[in-house]
Amino acid sequence: MPDEPRVPVLDPAVAAALERVRAAFAAADYTVGGVRGLLGAVAGGALARDEIVPALRATGGGSPLEVFTRLFWLQVPVPVDAVPACDLAAAGLAVADGGELRPLLHVEPLESVTGSGHAGWVVSDLKVRPGSGRPVSADHVVGAGGASASLARLVVHSPVDNVLDLGTGCGVQALHVADPAVGRRPGRITATDVHPRALRLAALSFALSGLAGVELAEGSLFEPVEDRRFDLIVSNPPFVVAPPGGQRRTYRESGLPGDEFCRRLVVSARDRLTDGGYCHLLANWLDVAGEGWRERVGGWAAESGCDAWIVQRDVQDPAEYAELWLRDSVEAGAPGYAERYEAWLADFERRKVAGIGFGWITLRRRDGGVPVVRVEELRHAVDEPVGAYVDGVLSGLVAAPEFSTGWGKLRLADGVVQEQVGPPGAADPERILLRQTRGLRRVAGVGTVEAALAGVCDGTLPPEPLLDAIAQLLALDPSQVRAHAAAVLPELIADGFFTVVP
Ligand SMILES: C[S@@+](CC[C@H](N)C(=O)[O-])C[C@H]1O[C@@H](n2cnc3c(N)ncnc32)[C@H](O)[C@@H]1O
């Protein structure tokens, strides 16, 4: 990889205009918080469903914030003389049309994953809203959406030097990685994409957001960075599994069959990571007759040679999946809809696909250790952002198999509470549950020994004397209590109920 970026930097006049726009956006408070306050809950909720009428009603006052929101988020023309002077045309974001200014691009503020604070502005192609009567084009550059946010919230918060955003699109992940509120302080960010215009829009996003020095490189998969390693790789890849033929939309479909693009990313990530480096991806995977999804994705992870934590967050049947992505490309109800739907179903039938999973893949390179792989389904709400504690999740997975032989000190994880379930008035509970009130919010049914241990282990003593005292208290055989604990504790450590204290 040459040190010079492979993509031309912005024209200085455009960069200067974008600086003026940034100042005007900041002065108007064109931020997620500002727009949320302006719209209120009802119009904001409608806009999240792509309905702009309530938001149009809420932004008719002519203030700079209302004008920017109408022009760049709702994408409606505004009177030229209502727009704060800031060179939107010179920046390439809007064009004068009679007495009005018309948006050329969609420009949306980005909220920090910490939930408070502003992470920049994202420039993308104009949104194609349902009912517009024209499907999304093949070269569309998509803006920040729900999937982008889901990945951004998964990414580990620890400081990093060298970062790769693969398939950067509008640049949203790079902006999140650099968000000062999270504190990663990356030294160097490289953003790649196969689509040249995506790189151009990412450059606009970075300049508009004041993020300097991002290196942009064009190419597929890891091709632009073949001789480099990164402390952090993030990718919201084109994971949609579409039938062959028809129009391929670069923002969501790779052109490779089935879930092959995601598999290739997973199995080739290790060579691009430094020791201890993380790779976070969103992915779709197929649940194929005769091969369960866990085995399929677990096989990718095993081949990767990394520690892997793979979480299925959602699953859809073939019809639901086809409908979702036909809606996404605004093809639902358009001419040819039935044929496209049919093609999707036929392709899944031919591949014997029973369902399509969506989820998170986290890989960590750990030189010198035996990789651990965990594949699981978590459909319930978890604490966000997961990136704030994902390194603890990986540490638990690695510590668990070692614990059965090592017998280190244990500490009950923060936020774990005990619940007892049984008939009212009964002396003893029927079931004892340990519940995480934060983090992944897991619940585990446990026996009296683990519950008692949870009550006393604060990280100061190894478990053996604690287990012996519990055996005595419960009038049980100490060797049986130790054997029981050795059998059940690794799972509770892997699930994050107990932490191994170094
Ligand atoms: C779902 S969009 C993600 C955009 C953005 N990173 C986000 O998080 O919202 C996928 C991106 O991958 C790019 N892409 C498609 N095929 C690719 C390939 N073979 N190699 C690298 N990037 C690719 C698309 O152009 C698009 O920008």
Side-chain angles (χ1 to χ4, degrees), residues 264-481:
R264 284 195 196 173
L265 270 181
V266 170
V267 302
S268 45
R270 185 176 187 278
D271 288 345
R272 304 275 65 80
L273 287 171
T274 53
D275 185 16
Y278 274 88
C279 172
H280 298 282
L281 320 172
L282 296 184
N284 270 177
W285 44 75
L286 301 178
D287 185 10
V288 181
E291 179 202 29
W293 67 270
R294 290 173 194 273
E295 291 70 23
R296 186 179 185 85
V297 192
W300 303 352
E303 200 181 336
S304 79
C306 293
D307 294 328
W309 179 48
I310 299 183
V311 181
Q312 180 159 285
R313 292 290 288 161
D314 194 12
V315 63
Q316 288 177 311
D317 67 37
E320 288 171 322
Y321 190 81
E323 289 161 24
L324 169 72
W325 292 110
L326 287 164
R327 268 198 311 276
D328 168 80
S329 46
V330 193
E331 289 175 276
Y337 173 66
E339 291 75 12
R340 285 293 289 157
Y341 195 159
E342 160 69 29
W344 226 302
L345 294 183
D347 186 51
F348 283 140
E349 193 175 290
R350 189 177 57 76
R351 294 172 186 278
K352 300 189 171 36
V353 171
I356 304 92
F358 164 82
W360 306 329
I361 297 183
T362 294
L363 306 171
R364 187 178 65 181
R365 177 170 174 158
R366 186 164 51 92
D367 291 351
V370 179
V372 291
V373 173
R374 172 81 174 258
V375 181
E376 63 180 320
E377 182 158 45
L378 291 177
R379 303 281 290 275
H380 60 266
V382 300
D383 271 7
E384 298 282 11
V386 177
Y389 56 90
V390 68
D391 53 348
V393 174
L394 268 285
S395 300
L397 295 181
V398 170
E402 287 167 6
F403 181 76
S404 52
T405 53
W407 288 101
K409 290 175 192 163
L410 285 185
R411 193 173 60 75
L412 185 69
D414 293 340
V416 173
V417 297
Q418 178 181 308
E419 292 174 4
Q420 306 200 153
V421 182
D428 294 315
E430 255 172 24
R431 294 173 67 213
I432 306 175
L433 303 174
L434 293 182
R435 179 183 295 278
Q436 297 168 350
T437 59
R438 59 182 82 156
L440 294 176
R441 297 183 174 268
R442 299 183 195 271
V443 181
V446 294
T448 43
V449 169
E450 303 94 286
L453 189 64
V456 292
C457 70
D458 58 4
T460 54
L461 285 175
E464 294 96 325
L466 297 173
L467 289 167
D468 290 350
I470 290 167
Q472 198 177 16
L473 203 69
L474 298 174
L476 297 170
D477 176 352
S479 62
Q480 281 184 0
V481 167

Side-chain angles (χ1 to χ4, degrees), residues 85-175:
C86 61
D87 274 348
L88 293 176
L93 301 178
V95 63
D97 194 355
E100 291 187 321
L101 211 55
R102 190 164 49 78
L104 291 175
L105 293 164
H106 186 88
V107 187
E108 226 178 273
L110 192 64
E111 190 169 44
S112 169
V113 296
T114 59
S116 63
H118 169 70
W121 288 277
V122 178
V123 181
S124 60
D125 274 334
L126 291 174
K127 252 178 196 257
V128 183
R129 294 209 159 88
S132 64
R134 59 188 169 94
V136 177
S137 67
D139 68 346
H140 182 78
V141 177
V142 73
S148 327
S150 172
L151 175 63
R153 290 193 296 255
L154 176 66
V155 176
V156 66
H157 284 198
S158 22
V160 284
D161 184 26
N162 230 335
V163 182
L164 172 65
D165 173 12
L166 192 154
T168 191
C170 57
V172 52
Q173 300 303 332
L175 286 170

